[in-house]
Amino acid sequence: MGSMGWLGRRARKRLLFLGLAWLTVVAIIASPVALGNASTLPQSDIIQQESHLAQSLDPVSRFSQGKIDYDRGRFADAVLAWQASEQIYQQAGDRTNQALSLNYLSLAYQHLGQWEQAKAAIEESLNLLTTPTDPALLAQLLNTKGSLQLASGQSEAALPTWKAAETAYSQADDVIGVLGCQINQAQALQSLGMFRRSQQVLERVQQALTRQPDSLIKATGLRSLGMVWQAIGELDEAQNILNQSLAIAQTLNSPANISAAFLNLGNTAQALADIDAAITYYHKAAKTATNPLNQLEAQLNQFKLLIRQQQFNQAQDLFAPIQHNLSQLSPSRYAIYVQVNWAESLIELLENSDGYSPELIRSQNIAQLLAKTIAQAKALNDIRAESLALGTLGKLYKTNQQWLESQHLIQEALLFSQTINARDISYQWQWQLTQLYQQTGDLDAAITTNQDAFDLLQLIRGNLVAMNPDVQFSFQEQIEPIYRNLVRLLLQRPSTDNLKQARQVIESLQLAELENYFRASCLKAKAEQIDTVIEDNDTQAAVIYPIILSDRIAVILSLPGHPLETYSTELPQAEIEERVNQLRQSMNIAYSNRKRLTVSQTIYDWLIRPIETQLAQQDIKTLVFVLDGVLRNVPMAALHDGEQYLIEKYSIALTPGLQLLEPRSLTQLHLRSLTAGLSQARQGFSALPAVKDEIEQVSINIPSTVLLNQAFTSTALENKINTLPVSVVHLATHGQFSSNPEDTFILTWDKRLNANTLAQLLKGKNQDNTPPIELLVLSACQTANGDQRAALGLAGLAVRSGTRSTIGTLWSVKDQSTAQAMIQLYNNLTQPDINRAEALRQAQLFLLQQDKYKHPYYWAPFILVGNWL
C-alpha cells in the first residue's frame, strides 16, 4: 500500500469501534436525549482550520479528517471527507482502503437518514472484497451492513449478516469483536420475537466478558451489555452488569468510563422508578465527566427529574453549569441535540412555572437558543437535527399560543423529517399539528394529521423502543395520548367507517401497551378478526369496547349482523378512574355491601345499561370485553344491575384486541393436561394446602401429568412442556402480575419464573408441529393491587405465549374456594356443548350459590382471556 499502509490490520483494529453496531446502532436514530459518546470537542475556529487543511492533504489525511468529523457529530462533513478519500483510493487501485472508506461512508449516511446511499455504499464496499482478504476488515464491513439492516427494520436479514461478521472476527482472533456481534444478534433475535434465544445469547456473552481480564475494553463491553439488558427490560441484570463496568473503570481510574457507567446506572434507576437514585447517579456522572458534552447529558437528565419531582431549588442550581457547558460546545449534531434537549426542558418548565422563577425561563431566550441551533444545523447540512430544532421552536410558539407561527414551523419540521424518512420524529410533529388544529377548531385537519401520526406509529411500533429507548419509559406521556385522541375525534363524527377506525385504534392501543410493557412485539401468530369468529362460530356473542377519554367514558358495541354503534357518559377522567378503583377496593370482604353495590351499579350504568334491551332482543349469551386502562383490574362479572350480577346473565370473556388466535372449540379436542403446583410453603410464600386436592381432582377429570412440590421445578416444567402432547397447562401456585415485567412471575419449587420466560416456554410449544396449548390456567395468582398496568402482565402472557385461552385471577383468594372453582371448571369442560366461557361461568356460579362463598371476593376474580369458544 506504500504510504497508505498505516491503514493496515493493526490500525484498522484500532478503528474497529467506529463500526461496532453494539456501540453505535442506537445512536443512528437516537432521540435528543440519547447522545452517545463523543470525545472532547475543540473550538469551532480550530475545526474550521482543520477542515480547511484537510482539503490540501493526501487521502490518508482526508480519511482521518472524516473520522474526526464523524466523532464530533459533523456527519455531512464526514461524508465529504470519505467521498474524497474513496475516490482517490479508487484511482490508485487501493481496493482495501477504498472499501474501508465506503464502509464509513455508509455509517455517516445512516446518521443522516440517507438509507439508500448507505445501502449502496456498504454493498459496493463488500463487492470490492471479491478475493480472500483480511478477516478483520470483512468483519467490520459485515457489522456495518447488519447495523443498517436492523435500523431499516430488516431484523431477519441482520441476523445472518452478524453471524457472518462473528465468524470473520473469530478468524481474526478478535474476542471483543465476536462478543459485540453476539450482542447484535441478541438484539436482532429480540426484535424477531425470539426472546429466550436472545436472553441465552446475552447470558453467554456475559459469561465470556466476565472471564476477560480487566481492561477499558472490558468495561466498555460490559456497559454495552448492560444497556441491552436495560432495553429488553431485564433491569436488575442491567444494574448488576453496569456496576461491574463501573468497578473496572474505577479500578483503572478512567473518568470517562466511570461517568458513562454512572449515566447508564441513572437511566436504569429511572426505569426502575427509583428517582432519587437516578438523580444521584446523574450527579455523579456529571461530576466525573471529562468533557462538556458528556457532562451536559448527565446534567440535563438530572434537571428533568428534579423538575418532575418539583425540586425547583436544586434544579435552579444546575442553570449556571448547564449554560456554561453549552457555551463550550462547537457546532455538531450532538451539540444541537443537547441544546434542543435543554430547550424542551425549559418549555416544560415554562408551562408549569407556578411558584418558580419565570425570569430564568423567558420565551425570548429559549427562542434565541433554538434559532442558534437551527442555524448550526443548516451549516452542518444535518436535516434531522434541523427538523428537531424547528419542531421544538414550533412547540415553544404553541406554548405562547402563537398558533399560526407554530403551525408553519412544525409543518416545516415535518417536511424535513419526511425528506429523510425519519418516521420516529415525523409522528411527533404530526401529533403537534393535530393539537394545533384542534385548538383552532379545524376538526377535519385534526383527524387527518392524527390519523397520519397513528399510521406512522403502526409502521414503527415494533421497532419504536429500539429507535428511541426513552419511549419505553414515557409511553403513557408520549404515545398513548395519540391513540386516545384519535378515538375521541372519530367519535365526534360517529359514522360507520369512523367507528370501525376507532375500534381499530383501540385494538392497536392495546397491543402497543403490551409491546411497551414487554419491550417486544407481542402478536405475530396467525390470527382471525373477532367479527369473523362471531359470525362463523358464535352469533350469540357481543363485543364491548370501553375506552377512557379525558372527558368521558366512551363505548363501542359490536352486535352480530349489526353496524357498530357508540354511547358514552361524560365525566372527567379522574372521576372515572376513582370510581373504578373504588370497585376494586369494594371486592374486599370488609367493605360495605351497600357501597360495593352502589359503585358496581354505577359502572354497570356506564357499560351495560344503555344496551340491555338490544342484548336481550338478540338473545346474547356471551359478552366479550376489550377493556381499557384501570378497567382491566376490576371484574366485569361483579357488575350489578340492581337485581343480579352480570355473571348471572352472561358468560364473560376478555381479549386484549380484536384478533384471536385460531379459534377452536374445546369440544372438538381430546383434552390432556400438564398439571403442576405447590401446596407447601416455599421461598417466603405461604402454603396452599388445597392445591393437592385441586390437582388430584383435575387429574380425575382429564388425563394429566402431575408435578407437585419438589417435582415442580422450572427445569421439569420446561422439559414436560417441550415433550408432552398436552392441550391444557394448569399451574396451581403463587404468582403475581404487576406493571413491571420483572415482578410478574409464577412460583416454582426452585425459583420465580418470570412472565417472559414462561411465555417463551409456552410459545416454543405452540410453534412446534404438535397440537398447541388451548388453555392455560393460573390458579392462585393475582394482579398487584393498586397497580393500573398490572393486568397487562396477565393479558400479555396470554397473547405472547400463543396460548389460545388463559384463565387467571385478579387477586389471590382462599385456596379452598379456588380449588372448588377449578374442580367445577374441569367438570364443566368435559361436558358436551359447553364452551370455555360458560364452563368458567358455571364454576363461578357454583361458588356464588354457596352462602360462605357468595361474596364477589371469592368468585369474581376469575377471568378468561382470549378464545372463549
Side-chain angles (χ1 to χ4, degrees):
M1 297 184 198
S3 65
M4 304 172 194
W6 76 281
L7 282 177
R9 176 192 293 265
R10 294 183 64 186
R12 285 200 300 274
K13 194 166 184 177
R14 287 198 300 272
L15 291 171
L16 190 59
F17 289 101
L18 182 60
L20 274 177
W22 56 306
L23 298 179
T24 63
V25 68
V26 174
I28 290 171
I29 34 183
S31 70
V33 181
L35 303 175
N37 295 323
S39 55
T40 303
L41 301 176
Q43 296 301 313
S44 58
D45 57 341
I46 298 176
I47 293 177
Q48 292 169 0
Q49 188 176 36
E50 287 180 344
S51 297
H52 175 74
L53 181 63
Q55 301 301 316
S56 61
L57 295 179
D58 58 52
V60 172
S61 297
R62 295 194 182 191
F63 183 96
S64 181
Q65 182 63 46
K67 184 181 182 302
I68 292 171
D69 289 330
Y70 182 95
D71 287 342
R72 289 170 177 158
R74 302 170 65 92
F75 301 115
D77 289 342
V79 164
L80 293 175
W82 282 328
Q83 282 176 337
S85 67
E86 186 271 332
Q87 290 170 7
I88 297 174
Y89 284 131
Q90 181 184 23
Q91 293 169 2
D94 187 343
R95 296 166 70 93
T96 298
N97 282 319
Q98 182 188 354
L100 198 59
S101 296
L102 286 165
N103 171 70
Y104 290 127
L105 256 179
S106 178
L107 286 170
Y109 280 137
Q110 289 179 51
H111 278 279
L112 292 170
Q114 297 177 20
W115 304 108
E116 291 304 318
Q117 294 93 323
K119 181 179 178 181
I122 195 59
E123 290 298 341
E124 185 180 353
S125 178
L126 285 164
N127 288 337
L128 287 169
L129 306 183
T130 54
T131 58
T133 187
D134 182 352
L137 175 58
L138 176 61
Q140 192 173 356
L141 270 55
L142 289 169
N143 215 356
T144 298
K145 182 177 180 179
S147 163
L148 174 61
Q149 288 168 327
L150 186 69
S152 304
Q154 302 174 45
S155 304
E156 198 165 351
L159 190 57
T161 301
W162 272 323
K163 285 182 178 177
E166 179 188 351
T167 300
Y169 278 126
S170 181
Q171 292 170 351
D173 296 324
D174 188 336
V175 175
I176 297 299
V178 167
L179 296 177
C181 277
Q182 290 173 353
I183 292 177
N184 290 337
Q185 290 172 52
Q187 293 185 61
L189 288 166
Q190 186 78 15
S191 65
L192 289 169
M194 301 177 185
F195 310 105
R196 264 190 100 231
R197 282 184 58 191
S198 173
Q199 190 167 10
Q200 289 167 351
V201 170
L202 291 173
E203 287 169 351
R204 289 198 299 271
V205 170
Q206 186 167 319
Q207 292 170 1
L209 273 172
T210 304
R211 290 193 297 267
Q212 292 289 312
D214 286 355
S215 66
L216 293 182
I217 289 178
K218 178 180 177 180
T220 302
L222 288 170
R223 188 171 72 248
S224 298
L225 179 61
M227 292 164 67
V228 176
W229 278 127
Q230 176 189 319
I232 67 176
E234 298 288 347
L235 301 178
D236 289 338
E237 199 63 59
Q239 203 167 46
N240 172 44
I241 293 300
L242 289 169
N243 275 314
Q244 290 182 38
S245 175
L246 173 63
I248 294 171
Q250 289 173 328
T251 299
L252 298 176
N253 193 27
S254 171
N257 283 280
I258 292 170
S259 176
F262 277 135
L263 179 68
N264 284 288
L265 281 166
N267 294 339
T268 304
Q270 185 178 352
L272 287 165
D274 190 349
I275 303 303
D276 291 338
I279 290 172
T280 300
Y281 280 129
Y282 290 142
H283 174 73
K284 291 180 178 179
K287 190 174 181 180
T288 53
T290 57
N291 63 70
L293 187 59
N294 291 347
Q295 192 170 55
L296 270 168
E297 183 178 3
Q299 289 170 334
L300 290 171
N301 287 357
Q302 183 183 1
F303 182 82
K304 281 181 180 291
L305 290 184
L306 288 170
I307 291 300
R308 289 172 186 176
Q309 295 293 100
Q310 296 188 331
Q311 298 179 29
F312 296 122
N313 290 331
Q314 294 93 319
Q316 185 169 338
D317 291 340
L318 287 172
F319 262 81
I322 289 174
Q323 296 281 24
H324 172 75
N325 279 329
L326 285 172
S327 69
Q328 301 301 302
L329 298 183
S330 300
S332 71
R333 169 178 288 186
Y334 306 130
I336 292 169
Y337 277 7
V338 293
Q339 290 174 93
V340 169
N341 191 346
W342 177 233
E344 286 182 332
S345 295
L346 295 179
I347 292 170
E348 182 178 340
L349 196 52
L350 192 66
E351 294 172 339
N352 304 280
S353 59
D354 292 344
Y356 195 56
S357 304
E359 64 273 10
L360 294 172
I361 48 171
R362 292 174 182 166
S363 297
Q364 183 178 0
N365 295 338
I366 304 173
Q368 290 172 348
L369 171 66
L370 289 168
K372 174 186 172 185
T373 65
I374 292 168
Q376 290 176 347
K378 286 181 181 295
L380 292 171
N381 195 26
D382 193 326
I383 295 175
R384 182 182 177 88
E386 187 172 359
S387 174
L388 285 167
L390 280 166
T392 306
L393 183 58
K395 285 197 285 187
L396 175 63
Y397 277 103
K398 182 161 75 75
T399 299
N400 290 335
Q401 299 184 4
Q402 295 173 265
W403 312 122
L404 189 59
E405 294 88 345
S406 174
Q407 181 180 326
H408 288 328
L409 284 165
I410 294 174
Q411 284 173 332
E412 189 175 2
L414 176 60
L415 181 62
F416 278 124
S417 64
Q418 289 173 330
T419 299
I420 59 171
N421 199 27
R423 295 169 175 171
D424 59 311
I425 54 175
S426 290
Y427 82 85
Q428 298 178 50
W429 305 147
Q430 288 163 341
W431 172 231
Q432 292 295 323
L433 286 172
T434 298
Q435 296 172 77
L436 283 170
Y437 291 136
Q438 286 178 245
Q439 190 67 44
T440 56
D442 191 343
L443 184 59
D444 288 334
I447 291 175
T448 299
T449 53
N450 205 155
Q451 180 72 54
D452 289 341
F454 167 78
D455 290 342
L456 270 187
L457 283 173
Q458 292 300 94
L459 288 173
I460 66 175
R461 190 179 67 199
N463 293 322
L464 193 56
V465 171
M467 295 176 72
N468 184 353
D470 298 296
V471 169
Q472 66 191 29
F473 308 127
S474 55
F475 177 86
Q476 291 168 292
E477 296 175 7
Q478 295 184 16
I479 307 299
E480 191 175 321
I482 297 174
Y483 290 82
R484 295 190 183 281
N485 193 71
L486 181 54
V487 172
R488 189 169 73 86
L489 291 174
L490 290 167
L491 293 183
Q492 289 183 38
R493 293 182 174 174
S495 66
T496 299
D497 288 342
N498 279 357
L499 288 179
K500 286 182 178 179
Q501 175 62 13
R503 187 178 67 168
Q504 181 192 346
V505 175
I506 293 170
E507 174 202 10
S508 299
L509 173 59
Q510 298 267 336
L511 294 180
E513 286 178 306
L514 291 175
E515 288 173 348
N516 172 255
Y517 177 84
F518 285 105
R519 296 169 174 88
S521 181
C522 288
L523 186 60
K524 291 191 176 181
K526 181 181 178 182
E528 189 168 340
Q529 285 294 332
I530 201 168
D531 290 343
T532 305
V533 176
I534 291 174
E535 291 171 7
D536 295 345
N537 300 277
D538 189 356
T539 57
Q540 292 182 302
V543 191
I544 298 172
Y545 315 89
I547 186 165
I548 299 172
L549 303 173
S550 59
D551 59 350
R552 70 192 62 207
I553 181 167
V555 185
I556 296 175
L557 172 67
S558 175
L559 287 170
H562 288 256
L564 297 175
E565 57 183 278
T566 184
Y567 49 97
S568 64
T569 302
E570 294 187 8
L571 284 172
Q573 180 176 346
E575 184 175 342
I576 294 168
E577 292 180 344
E578 181 182 0
R579 294 288 182 89
V580 174
N581 287 329
Q582 285 175 358
L583 179 60
R584 168 77 184 225
Q585 295 164 12
S586 75
M587 294 296 107
N588 191 306
I589 296 176
Y591 207 89
S592 159
N593 278 336
R594 181 181 59 81
K595 290 182 179 179
R596 172 172 54 78
L597 290 174
T598 298
V599 69
S600 177
Q601 288 170 31
T602 297
I603 297 174
Y604 180 95
D605 289 344
W606 296 345
L607 305 185
I608 307 298
R609 187 82 67 188
I611 57 172
E612 280 181 328
T613 301
Q614 292 163 279
L615 297 177
Q617 287 174 345
Q618 286 209 224
D619 195 25
I620 296 298
K621 302 295 185 186
T622 303
L623 300 182
V624 182
F625 288 91
V626 181
L627 294 177
D628 179 44
V630 293
L631 286 168
R632 301 188 190 103
N633 287 338
V634 296
M636 295 296 102
L639 300 186
H640 202 273
D641 66 359
E643 298 181 1
Q644 289 180 298
Y645 290 107
L646 195 62
I647 196 67
E648 295 182 84
K649 300 191 289 186
Y650 302 101
S651 301
I652 295 172
L654 309 178
T655 177
L658 309 179
Q659 301 182 53
L660 297 174
L661 298 175
E662 297 184 285
R664 287 191 295 178
S665 170
L666 277 184
T667 59
Q668 304 168 4
L669 304 171
H670 176 67
L671 296 184
R672 181 179 175 84
S673 171
L674 169 60
T675 305
L678 296 179
S679 63
Q680 299 177 15
R682 194 66 181 162
Q683 300 179 50
F685 289 85
S686 61
L688 298 169
V691 161
K692 188 174 181 180
D693 289 339
E694 177 182 331
I695 288 177
E696 288 176 355
Q697 290 298 318
V698 170
S699 302
I700 290 172
N701 281 286
I702 60 175
S704 301
T705 298
V706 174
L707 300 173
L708 181 62
N709 292 327
Q710 291 93 333
F712 179 24
T713 65
S714 56
T715 302
L717 180 65
E718 180 174 2
N719 289 339
K720 296 299 183 184
I721 287 176
N722 287 337
T723 58
L724 294 178
V726 295
S727 52
V728 177
V729 174
H730 182 102
L731 303 177
T733 180
H734 287 288
Q736 177 174 288
F737 295 93
S738 83
S739 59
N740 183 351
E742 290 195 327
D743 294 331
T744 297
F745 65 90
I746 65 161
L747 193 69
T748 65
W749 182 261
D750 59 327
K751 64 189 291 187
R752 295 184 180 187
L753 195 63
N754 68 43
N756 271 317
T757 303
L758 178 59
Q760 284 309 293
L761 289 179
L762 299 169
K763 186 172 184 177
K765 165 75 173 178
N766 290 330
Q767 288 176 337
D768 293 339
N769 293 326
T770 54
I773 296 171
E774 291 288 339
L775 180 62
L776 169 66
V777 180
L778 301 170
S779 172
C781 295
Q782 63 175 330
T783 55
N785 191 23
D787 188 337
Q788 291 193 12
R789 303 185 79 206
L792 284 173
L794 180 55
L797 176 61
V799 172
R800 283 192 61 212
S801 67
T803 303
R804 303 298 182 250
S805 306
T806 298
I807 291 177
T809 50
L810 291 174
W811 57 84
S812 183
V813 295
K814 300 297 183 182
D815 68 316
Q816 189 62 48
S817 58
T818 298
Q820 289 194 37
M822 293 297 103
I823 292 167
Q824 289 300 315
L825 171 69
Y826 284 99
N827 281 337
N828 298 334
L829 287 173
T830 59
Q831 304 302 312
D833 301 323
I834 185 169
N835 64 30
R836 301 171 221 217
E838 182 62 18
L840 179 60
R841 172 177 177 260
Q842 293 296 334
Q844 291 174 284
L845 293 178
F846 175 80
L847 295 180
L848 173 60
Q849 290 159 4
Q850 299 180 56
D851 287 341
K852 62 179 178 178
Y853 296 138
K854 66 181 181 181
H855 193 284
Y857 167 79
Y858 295 102
W859 53 262
F862 299 100
I863 57 173
L864 171 68
V865 181
N867 175 20
W868 68 90
L869 298 175

